[in-house]
Amino acid sequence: MDWSNIKAAIYRGNRGILKPVRDIDYVDIDSLIGISRQKDMLLKNTKNFIENKMASHTLLWGERGCGKSSLIKAVFTKFVGNNLRIIEISKDDLVNLADIIDEIRDEKEYRFIIFCDDLSFEDSDISYKYLKVVLEGSIEKTPSNVLIYATSNRRHLIKELKKDNEDTTILDGEIHYGDAVEEKLSLSDRFGLWISFYQGSYSEYLKIIDSYFNGYEVDRSKLHEEAKKFAMLRGSRSGRTAKQFFINYKKALSE
């Protein structure tokens, strides 16, 4: 694959190929409102990666619609001119992750983010083991030109059950987890950087609304009132909800 012309690719497991992405969903990092702390953390980590300094595989976890995936795309957008490339892989194709990394291992001119979106594993799903080995556990190091950035609604990625804690004991004041819990914690522990996301206040939500409607001639009081109603109906004040409101309200304004 000619990475000098290809900036992004998606792994298609049914065909066993990396598909070049021509129409990339670039995201301006300045368009992301209310996640300054998260932006700073991921920008710093990625900058270190680009400069061949110490950088960590990163898990972005937290509530839905709060900008986890958008932030990864925005960081990629910011550094794509520095020979940063991105490869998206689904959870169902993790069995092929090591093969993908082998394919790009010798592309030393470029840095690659392996993007795994919306990762979560049910109790009977063992595909997470392929991710564990790549992160840390194989006799072969993950190449220095590859980082894994994953998003999840679950901090530990794997479904946590009450029964898992039945073997947990306390000895001399210290908690000793049972095997089931240790197995589940061992996956998320392999990510050197965790970045958490939570829904903001109504004030932060309305700042996002205002950023979308920048340049529009609208009654701000009415706009904010309708935006709050929309958020209550959705049960969410996330950036995704703000974008959905913008699309719907903008359409209503043009009718």
Side-chain angles (χ1 to χ4, degrees), residues 69-234:
S69 302
S70 294
L71 180 54
I72 291 176
K73 289 188 283 187
V75 168
F76 160 67
T77 299
K78 184 172 180 64
F79 291 111
V80 67
N82 299 87
N83 283 349
L84 182 65
R85 302 294 183 258
I86 192 167
I87 297 172
E88 184 175 351
I89 183 173
S90 72
K91 181 200 77 171
D92 295 334
D93 293 323
L94 287 176
V95 63
N96 301 299
L97 181 57
D99 293 329
I100 295 170
I101 291 177
D102 283 344
E103 187 171 330
I104 59 178
R105 181 179 292 273
D106 295 326
E107 298 283 352
K108 300 301 184 182
E109 184 179 350
Y110 301 97
R111 300 271 155 173
F112 295 88
I113 290 173
I114 305 293
F115 173 35
C116 306
D117 192 30
D118 198 22
L119 277 185
S120 64
F121 303 92
E122 297 305 315
D123 196 42
S124 59
D125 186 351
I126 63 168
S127 59
Y128 69 89
K129 293 180 182 290
Y130 300 108
L131 180 58
K132 281 177 63 175
V133 171
V134 169
L135 287 170
E136 184 182 326
S138 171
I139 62 170
E140 183 176 38
K141 289 183 178 180
T142 301
S144 60
N145 65 334
V146 174
L147 273 188
I148 294 175
Y149 283 1
T151 73
S152 180
N153 295 334
R154 293 173 175 169
R155 181 176 57 173
H156 293 139
L157 297 171
I158 304 172
K159 188 175 182 180
E160 297 176 75
L161 303 174
K162 182 179 179 182
K163 67 179 182 180
D164 292 340
N165 290 304
E166 291 176 357
D167 294 330
T168 299
T169 59
I170 299 177
L171 181 63
D172 295 329
E174 293 185 350
I175 297 176
H176 296 268
Y177 294 110
D179 290 343
V181 175
E182 288 287 359
E183 171 72 5
K184 295 182 176 183
L185 291 177
S186 69
L187 174 58
S188 55
D189 278 352
R190 282 170 163 79
F191 288 92
L193 179 61
W194 290 8
I195 304 178
S196 57
F197 289 72
Y198 301 93
Q199 287 189 31
S201 63
Y202 268 116
S203 175
E204 292 171 327
Y205 168 69
L206 293 177
K207 285 181 181 178
I208 301 173
I209 294 293
D210 286 338
S211 71
Y212 276 118
F213 283 92
N214 185 33
Y216 284 80
E217 292 292 334
V218 294
D219 183 328
R220 293 288 161 170
S221 296
K222 183 179 179 181
L223 177 69
H224 288 178
E225 181 181 346
E226 293 299 321
K228 286 182 178 180
K229 290 179 182 177
F230 189 86
M232 285 189 285
L233 288 171
R234 293 295 180 112

